């Protein structure tokens, strides 16, 4: 957490900025990047020192749970924009990873591969490939897709989701409709919907991943390999030691295996 307040500001002026941001959000004003940047130190204080519960944090810092606010907080914390990093990695590596999954002939992947092609034909574009890649990663690692993405009816509301008591505490995405074709996504943390109108999957995935780092949450036990893969292969966060997965001190062995196999596949082309 930053030890020094921004130049020209005191605790009182930052609290004033915070109140201005809350009022701006209620009015529906455009996201104020400058104000969210200058108040970063007291955002960290609320998260780390005060340890506000998710519903309270949402009330006090509503912009923090919008795509721009969460990605900006992650950027201030880690050093880069997670949405941009995902986009760049998808453009550079997405097709080759999909080609690898198509060529590896693993039976557990075939239903997802077929579904991706069917949805591409129905929509007339390649957008199903992006959420499809995440599903393929999870299948490859032997992890269950619902540990990160839960499908619900396309008409589901925030209130419907908040009434349910079965959600895990770790971040999870709600696909409003089929995971491969959904045009609306929700982000749920601690069983509380914090964003209910995310329009693009890459934005939703960036927010999901950023939540773990911004709020100091351990990786979901049911998706440790997938999240570690996103961290190291898509976000390029590669600490020599440590992981946000419980009982893991470095790169997940399944991720290391995948990296080697994709490298061998690319060399064989």
């Amino acid at each position: 957490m930053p030890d020094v307040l921004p130049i020209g500001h005191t605790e009182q002026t930052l609290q004033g900025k915070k109140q201005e941001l809350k009022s701006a959000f209620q009015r529906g004003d455009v996201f104020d990047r400058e104000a969210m940047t200058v108040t970063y130190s007291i955002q960290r204080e609320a998260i780390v020192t005060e340890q506000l519960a998710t519903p309270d944090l949402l009330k006090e810092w509503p912009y923090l749970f919008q795509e721009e606010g969460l990605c900006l907080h992650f950027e201030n914390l880690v050093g880069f924009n997670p949405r941009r990093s995902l986009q760049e990695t998808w453009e550079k590596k997405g097709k080759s990873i999909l080609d690898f999954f198509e060529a590896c002939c693993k039976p557990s992947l075939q239903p997802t591969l077929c579904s991706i092609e069917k949805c591409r034909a129905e929509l007339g574009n390649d957008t199903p490939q992006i959420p499809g890649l995440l599903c393929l990663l999870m299948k490859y690692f032997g992890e269950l897709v619902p540990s990160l993405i839960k499908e619900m009816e396309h008409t589901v509301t925030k209130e419907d989701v908040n009434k349910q008591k079965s959600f895990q505490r770790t971040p999870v995405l709600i696909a409003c409709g089929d995971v491969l074709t959904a045009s609306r996504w929700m982000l749920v943390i601690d069983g509380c919907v914090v964003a209910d109108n995310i329009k693009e999957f890459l934005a939703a995935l960036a927010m999901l991943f950023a939540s773990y780092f911004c709020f100091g949450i351990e990786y979901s036990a049911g998706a440790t390999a997938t999240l570690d893969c996103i961290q190291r292969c898509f976000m390029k966060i590669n600490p020599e030691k440590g992981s946000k997965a419980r009982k893991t001190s470095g790169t997940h062995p399944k991720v290391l295996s995948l990296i080697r196999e994709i490298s061998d596949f690319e060399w064989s082309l």
Side-chain angles (χ1 to χ4, degrees), residues 1-6 9-11 14-15 35-50 61 73 76:
M1 188 175 68
D3 296 321
V4 181
L5 297 178
H9 286 278
T10 65
E11 182 73 23
L14 292 180
Q15 290 297 331
M36 283 295 288
T37 299
V38 83
T39 56
Y40 171 73
S41 61
I42 59 173
Q43 293 169 36
R44 294 307 297 163
E45 183 179 359
I47 295 167
V48 178
T49 305
E50 299 175 22
W61 293 99
H73 193 94
N76 286 324

mmCIF file of all heavy atoms in Angstrom, residues 1-6 9-11 14-15 35-50 61 73 76:
data_model
loop_
_atom_site.group_PDB
_atom_site.id
_atom_site.type_symbol
_atom_site.label_atom_id
_atom_site.label_comp_id
_atom_site.label_asym_id
_atom_site.label_seq_id
_atom_site.Cartn_x
_atom_site.Cartn_y
_atom_site.Cartn_z
ATOM 1 N N MET A 1 0.845 -1.188 0.000
ATOM 2 C CA MET A 1 0.000 0.000 0.000
ATOM 3 C C MET A 1 0.885 1.245 0.000
ATOM 4 O O MET A 1 1.875 1.300 0.735
ATOM 5 C CB MET A 1 -0.896 -0.007 1.234
ATOM 6 C CG MET A 1 -1.960 1.094 1.240
ATOM 7 S SD MET A 1 -3.067 0.939 2.656
ATOM 8 C CE MET A 1 -1.953 1.328 3.990
ATOM 9 N N PRO A 2 0.549 2.249 -0.823
ATOM 10 C CA PRO A 2 1.384 3.453 -0.872
ATOM 11 C C PRO A 2 1.516 4.115 0.482
ATOM 12 O O PRO A 2 0.548 4.255 1.223
ATOM 13 C CB PRO A 2 0.618 4.345 -1.856
ATOM 14 C CG PRO A 2 -0.202 3.400 -2.679
ATOM 15 C CD PRO A 2 -0.567 2.283 -1.757
ATOM 16 N N ASP A 3 2.764 4.528 0.835
ATOM 17 C CA ASP A 3 3.009 5.179 2.122
ATOM 18 C C ASP A 3 2.908 6.695 2.023
ATOM 19 O O ASP A 3 2.772 7.383 3.029
ATOM 20 C CB ASP A 3 4.408 4.806 2.638
ATOM 21 C CG ASP A 3 4.516 3.317 2.934
ATOM 22 O OD1 ASP A 3 3.539 2.754 3.443
ATOM 23 O OD2 ASP A 3 5.574 2.746 2.639
ATOM 24 N N VAL A 4 3.007 7.224 0.802
ATOM 25 C CA VAL A 4 3.033 8.665 0.606
ATOM 26 C C VAL A 4 1.791 9.104 -0.159
ATOM 27 O O VAL A 4 1.417 8.491 -1.154
ATOM 28 C CB VAL A 4 4.307 9.074 -0.171
ATOM 29 C CG1 VAL A 4 4.338 10.584 -0.360
ATOM 30 C CG2 VAL A 4 5.561 8.585 0.551
ATOM 31 N N LEU A 5 1.158 10.158 0.324
ATOM 32 C CA LEU A 5 -0.017 10.686 -0.365
ATOM 33 C C LEU A 5 0.413 11.410 -1.640
ATOM 34 O O LEU A 5 1.540 11.902 -1.732
ATOM 35 C CB LEU A 5 -0.775 11.647 0.553
ATOM 36 C CG LEU A 5 -1.364 11.049 1.828
ATOM 37 C CD1 LEU A 5 -2.043 12.142 2.651
ATOM 38 C CD2 LEU A 5 -2.360 9.940 1.504
ATOM 39 N N PRO A 6 -0.459 11.483 -2.645
ATOM 40 C CA PRO A 6 -0.120 12.210 -3.870
ATOM 41 C C PRO A 6 0.250 13.662 -3.561
ATOM 42 O O PRO A 6 -0.301 14.274 -2.635
ATOM 43 C CB PRO A 6 -1.417 12.131 -4.687
ATOM 44 C CG PRO A 6 -2.141 10.941 -4.145
ATOM 45 C CD PRO A 6 -1.805 10.881 -2.692
ATOM 46 N N HIS A 9 -1.979 16.743 -2.038
ATOM 47 C CA HIS A 9 -3.192 16.211 -1.415
ATOM 48 C C HIS A 9 -2.950 15.827 0.037
ATOM 49 O O HIS A 9 -1.842 15.464 0.432
ATOM 50 C CB HIS A 9 -3.700 14.988 -2.186
ATOM 51 C CG HIS A 9 -4.349 15.328 -3.483
ATOM 52 N ND1 HIS A 9 -5.655 15.746 -3.585
ATOM 53 C CD2 HIS A 9 -3.861 15.310 -4.750
ATOM 54 C CE1 HIS A 9 -5.959 15.964 -4.857
ATOM 55 N NE2 HIS A 9 -4.884 15.720 -5.582
ATOM 56 N N THR A 10 -4.025 15.918 0.823
ATOM 57 C CA THR A 10 -4.033 15.454 2.199
ATOM 58 C C THR A 10 -5.087 14.361 2.307
ATOM 59 O O THR A 10 -5.830 14.096 1.360
ATOM 60 C CB THR A 10 -4.400 16.599 3.156
ATOM 61 O OG1 THR A 10 -5.759 17.009 2.874
ATOM 62 C CG2 THR A 10 -3.466 17.784 2.992
ATOM 63 N N GLU A 11 -5.131 13.730 3.465
ATOM 64 C CA GLU A 11 -6.174 12.716 3.697
ATOM 65 C C GLU A 11 -7.555 13.326 3.478
ATOM 66 O O GLU A 11 -8.452 12.692 2.902
ATOM 67 C CB GLU A 11 -6.049 12.158 5.113
ATOM 68 C CG GLU A 11 -7.046 11.058 5.446
ATOM 69 C CD GLU A 11 -6.726 9.728 4.762
ATOM 70 O OE1 GLU A 11 -5.559 9.512 4.400
ATOM 71 O OE2 GLU A 11 -7.659 8.921 4.612
ATOM 72 N N LEU A 14 -8.355 13.862 -0.270
ATOM 73 C CA LEU A 14 -8.620 12.579 -0.926
ATOM 74 C C LEU A 14 -9.996 12.044 -0.565
ATOM 75 O O LEU A 14 -10.704 11.479 -1.412
ATOM 76 C CB LEU A 14 -7.540 11.558 -0.546
ATOM 77 C CG LEU A 14 -6.136 11.834 -1.084
ATOM 78 C CD1 LEU A 14 -5.170 10.740 -0.642
ATOM 79 C CD2 LEU A 14 -6.143 11.930 -2.604
ATOM 80 N N GLN A 15 -10.395 12.236 0.714
ATOM 81 C CA GLN A 15 -11.740 11.827 1.109
ATOM 82 C C GLN A 15 -12.786 12.646 0.356
ATOM 83 O O GLN A 15 -13.858 12.145 -0.005
ATOM 84 C CB GLN A 15 -11.921 11.977 2.619
ATOM 85 C CG GLN A 15 -11.137 10.973 3.453
ATOM 86 C CD GLN A 15 -11.563 9.535 3.215
ATOM 87 O OE1 GLN A 15 -12.722 9.265 2.877
ATOM 88 N NE2 GLN A 15 -10.639 8.603 3.402
ATOM 89 N N ALA A 35 -9.332 11.155 -11.079
ATOM 90 C CA ALA A 35 -9.760 11.070 -9.676
ATOM 91 C C ALA A 35 -9.532 9.671 -9.111
ATOM 92 O O ALA A 35 -9.139 9.519 -7.948
ATOM 93 C CB ALA A 35 -11.226 11.467 -9.556
ATOM 94 N N MET A 36 -9.757 8.640 -9.922
ATOM 95 C CA MET A 36 -9.528 7.278 -9.449
ATOM 96 C C MET A 36 -8.031 7.007 -9.265
ATOM 97 O O MET A 36 -7.640 6.239 -8.381
ATOM 98 C CB MET A 36 -10.134 6.268 -10.423
ATOM 99 C CG MET A 36 -11.645 6.142 -10.300
ATOM 100 S SD MET A 36 -12.184 5.476 -8.696
ATOM 101 C CE MET A 36 -11.697 3.746 -8.849
ATOM 102 N N THR A 37 -7.210 7.638 -10.089
ATOM 103 C CA THR A 37 -5.762 7.465 -9.944
ATOM 104 C C THR A 37 -5.250 8.146 -8.677
ATOM 105 O O THR A 37 -4.465 7.565 -7.917
ATOM 106 C CB THR A 37 -5.032 8.042 -11.174
ATOM 107 O OG1 THR A 37 -5.456 7.339 -12.349
ATOM 108 C CG2 THR A 37 -3.517 7.904 -11.016
ATOM 109 N N VAL A 38 -5.695 9.364 -8.430
ATOM 110 C CA VAL A 38 -5.192 10.131 -7.290
ATOM 111 C C VAL A 38 -5.678 9.544 -5.962
ATOM 112 O O VAL A 38 -5.016 9.717 -4.925
ATOM 113 C CB VAL A 38 -5.584 11.622 -7.428
ATOM 114 C CG1 VAL A 38 -7.001 11.883 -6.946
ATOM 115 C CG2 VAL A 38 -4.591 12.518 -6.694
ATOM 116 N N THR A 39 -6.796 8.822 -5.980
ATOM 117 C CA THR A 39 -7.316 8.220 -4.738
ATOM 118 C C THR A 39 -6.879 6.768 -4.562
ATOM 119 O O THR A 39 -7.380 6.071 -3.676
ATOM 120 C CB THR A 39 -8.855 8.293 -4.699
ATOM 121 O OG1 THR A 39 -9.404 7.665 -5.879
ATOM 122 C CG2 THR A 39 -9.341 9.734 -4.624
ATOM 123 N N TYR A 40 -5.940 6.324 -5.372
ATOM 124 C CA TYR A 40 -5.497 4.928 -5.304
ATOM 125 C C TYR A 40 -5.046 4.541 -3.899
ATOM 126 O O TYR A 40 -5.356 3.449 -3.412
ATOM 127 C CB TYR A 40 -4.363 4.705 -6.304
ATOM 128 C CG TYR A 40 -3.677 3.368 -6.178
ATOM 129 C CD1 TYR A 40 -4.301 2.200 -6.602
ATOM 130 C CD2 TYR A 40 -2.396 3.271 -5.624
ATOM 131 C CE1 TYR A 40 -3.665 0.967 -6.494
ATOM 132 C CE2 TYR A 40 -1.754 2.051 -5.514
ATOM 133 C CZ TYR A 40 -2.390 0.903 -5.941
ATOM 134 O OH TYR A 40 -1.764 -0.325 -5.818
ATOM 135 N N SER A 41 -4.333 5.442 -3.217
ATOM 136 C CA SER A 41 -3.792 5.108 -1.894
ATOM 137 C C SER A 41 -4.898 4.806 -0.887
ATOM 138 O O SER A 41 -4.770 3.887 -0.068
ATOM 139 C CB SER A 41 -2.896 6.230 -1.370
ATOM 140 O OG SER A 41 -3.623 7.437 -1.221
ATOM 141 N N ILE A 42 -5.992 5.561 -0.927
ATOM 142 C CA ILE A 42 -7.055 5.290 0.051
ATOM 143 C C ILE A 42 -7.958 4.143 -0.412
ATOM 144 O O ILE A 42 -8.655 3.535 0.409
ATOM 145 C CB ILE A 42 -7.875 6.559 0.402
ATOM 146 C CG1 ILE A 42 -8.533 7.169 -0.829
ATOM 147 C CG2 ILE A 42 -6.997 7.574 1.119
ATOM 148 C CD1 ILE A 42 -9.498 8.325 -0.481
ATOM 149 N N GLN A 43 -7.923 3.816 -1.706
ATOM 150 C CA GLN A 43 -8.576 2.587 -2.143
ATOM 151 C C GLN A 43 -7.848 1.385 -1.548
ATOM 152 O O GLN A 43 -8.474 0.459 -1.020
ATOM 153 C CB GLN A 43 -8.566 2.494 -3.673
ATOM 154 C CG GLN A 43 -9.405 3.531 -4.397
ATOM 155 C CD GLN A 43 -9.134 3.549 -5.886
ATOM 156 O OE1 GLN A 43 -8.896 2.504 -6.506
ATOM 157 N NE2 GLN A 43 -9.121 4.735 -6.487
ATOM 158 N N ARG A 44 -6.518 1.411 -1.606
ATOM 159 C CA ARG A 44 -5.733 0.322 -1.025
ATOM 160 C C ARG A 44 -5.952 0.237 0.483
ATOM 161 O O ARG A 44 -5.991 -0.849 1.062
ATOM 162 C CB ARG A 44 -4.232 0.519 -1.310
ATOM 163 C CG ARG A 44 -3.816 0.417 -2.766
ATOM 164 C CD ARG A 44 -4.291 -0.850 -3.424
ATOM 165 N NE ARG A 44 -3.732 -2.056 -2.824
ATOM 166 C CZ ARG A 44 -4.243 -3.277 -3.022
ATOM 167 N NH1 ARG A 44 -5.336 -3.443 -3.761
ATOM 168 N NH2 ARG A 44 -3.682 -4.333 -2.478
ATOM 169 N N GLU A 45 -6.080 1.386 1.113
ATOM 170 C CA GLU A 45 -6.337 1.399 2.555
ATOM 171 C C GLU A 45 -7.649 0.697 2.879
ATOM 172 O O GLU A 45 -7.729 -0.085 3.829
ATOM 173 C CB GLU A 45 -6.368 2.840 3.060
ATOM 174 C CG GLU A 45 -6.547 2.968 4.561
ATOM 175 C CD GLU A 45 -6.537 4.415 5.032
ATOM 176 O OE1 GLU A 45 -6.366 5.318 4.190
ATOM 177 O OE2 GLU A 45 -6.704 4.630 6.243
ATOM 178 N N ALA A 46 -8.681 0.962 2.069
ATOM 179 C CA ALA A 46 -9.982 0.325 2.295
ATOM 180 C C ALA A 46 -9.902 -1.180 2.098
ATOM 181 O O ALA A 46 -10.536 -1.951 2.828
ATOM 182 C CB ALA A 46 -11.025 0.929 1.355
ATOM 183 N N ILE A 47 -9.094 -1.612 1.125
ATOM 184 C CA ILE A 47 -8.985 -3.038 0.815
ATOM 185 C C ILE A 47 -8.075 -3.766 1.796
ATOM 186 O O ILE A 47 -8.438 -4.814 2.344
ATOM 187 C CB ILE A 47 -8.447 -3.225 -0.624
ATOM 188 C CG1 ILE A 47 -9.444 -2.678 -1.645
ATOM 189 C CG2 ILE A 47 -8.149 -4.697 -0.897
ATOM 190 C CD1 ILE A 47 -8.869 -2.531 -3.053
ATOM 191 N N VAL A 48 -6.900 -3.200 2.046
ATOM 192 C CA VAL A 48 -5.864 -3.914 2.802
ATOM 193 C C VAL A 48 -5.970 -3.663 4.309
ATOM 194 O O VAL A 48 -5.920 -4.598 5.111
ATOM 195 C CB VAL A 48 -4.464 -3.517 2.297
ATOM 196 C CG1 VAL A 48 -3.377 -4.221 3.117
ATOM 197 C CG2 VAL A 48 -4.312 -3.841 0.820
ATOM 198 N N THR A 49 -6.102 -2.386 4.691
ATOM 199 C CA THR A 49 -6.088 -2.036 6.115
ATOM 200 C C THR A 49 -7.474 -2.210 6.748
ATOM 201 O O THR A 49 -7.618 -2.905 7.763
ATOM 202 C CB THR A 49 -5.610 -0.585 6.308
ATOM 203 O OG1 THR A 49 -4.339 -0.429 5.669
ATOM 204 C CG2 THR A 49 -5.477 -0.256 7.784
ATOM 205 N N GLU A 50 -8.462 -1.595 6.137
ATOM 206 C CA GLU A 50 -9.815 -1.691 6.692
ATOM 207 C C GLU A 50 -10.467 -3.029 6.386
ATOM 208 O O GLU A 50 -11.373 -3.461 7.108
ATOM 209 C CB GLU A 50 -10.677 -0.552 6.149
ATOM 210 C CG GLU A 50 -10.162 0.838 6.511
ATOM 211 C CD GLU A 50 -10.974 1.935 5.846
ATOM 212 O OE1 GLU A 50 -12.142 1.677 5.467
ATOM 213 O OE2 GLU A 50 -10.443 3.050 5.692
ATOM 214 N N TRP A 61 -16.783 2.474 -3.074
ATOM 215 C CA TRP A 61 -15.975 2.692 -4.275
ATOM 216 C C TRP A 61 -16.654 2.047 -5.492
ATOM 217 O O TRP A 61 -16.137 1.086 -6.070
ATOM 218 C CB TRP A 61 -14.576 2.117 -4.087
ATOM 219 C CG TRP A 61 -13.755 2.831 -3.058
ATOM 220 C CD1 TRP A 61 -13.540 2.463 -1.761
ATOM 221 C CD2 TRP A 61 -13.044 4.058 -3.251
ATOM 222 N NE1 TRP A 61 -12.745 3.367 -1.124
ATOM 223 C CE2 TRP A 61 -12.422 4.372 -2.021
ATOM 224 C CE3 TRP A 61 -12.865 4.919 -4.332
ATOM 225 C CZ2 TRP A 61 -11.640 5.499 -1.844
ATOM 226 C CZ3 TRP A 61 -12.094 6.045 -4.171
ATOM 227 C CH2 TRP A 61 -11.488 6.329 -2.939
ATOM 228 N N HIS A 73 -7.007 0.130 -11.349
ATOM 229 C CA HIS A 73 -6.454 -0.228 -10.043
ATOM 230 C C HIS A 73 -5.395 -1.323 -10.211
ATOM 231 O O HIS A 73 -4.318 -1.264 -9.598
ATOM 232 C CB HIS A 73 -7.571 -0.710 -9.116
ATOM 233 C CG HIS A 73 -7.164 -0.818 -7.684
ATOM 234 N ND1 HIS A 73 -7.351 0.188 -6.761
ATOM 235 C CD2 HIS A 73 -6.544 -1.818 -7.010
ATOM 236 C CE1 HIS A 73 -6.881 -0.183 -5.588
ATOM 237 N NE2 HIS A 73 -6.385 -1.406 -5.713
ATOM 238 N N ASN A 76 -2.246 0.242 -11.621
ATOM 239 C CA ASN A 76 -1.478 0.948 -10.591
ATOM 240 C C ASN A 76 -0.764 -0.026 -9.656
ATOM 241 O O ASN A 76 0.332 0.255 -9.160
ATOM 242 C CB ASN A 76 -2.403 1.859 -9.782
ATOM 243 C CG ASN A 76 -2.832 3.094 -10.549
ATOM 244 O OD1 ASN A 76 -2.052 3.653 -11.313
ATOM 245 N ND2 ASN A 76 -4.064 3.527 -10.361
#
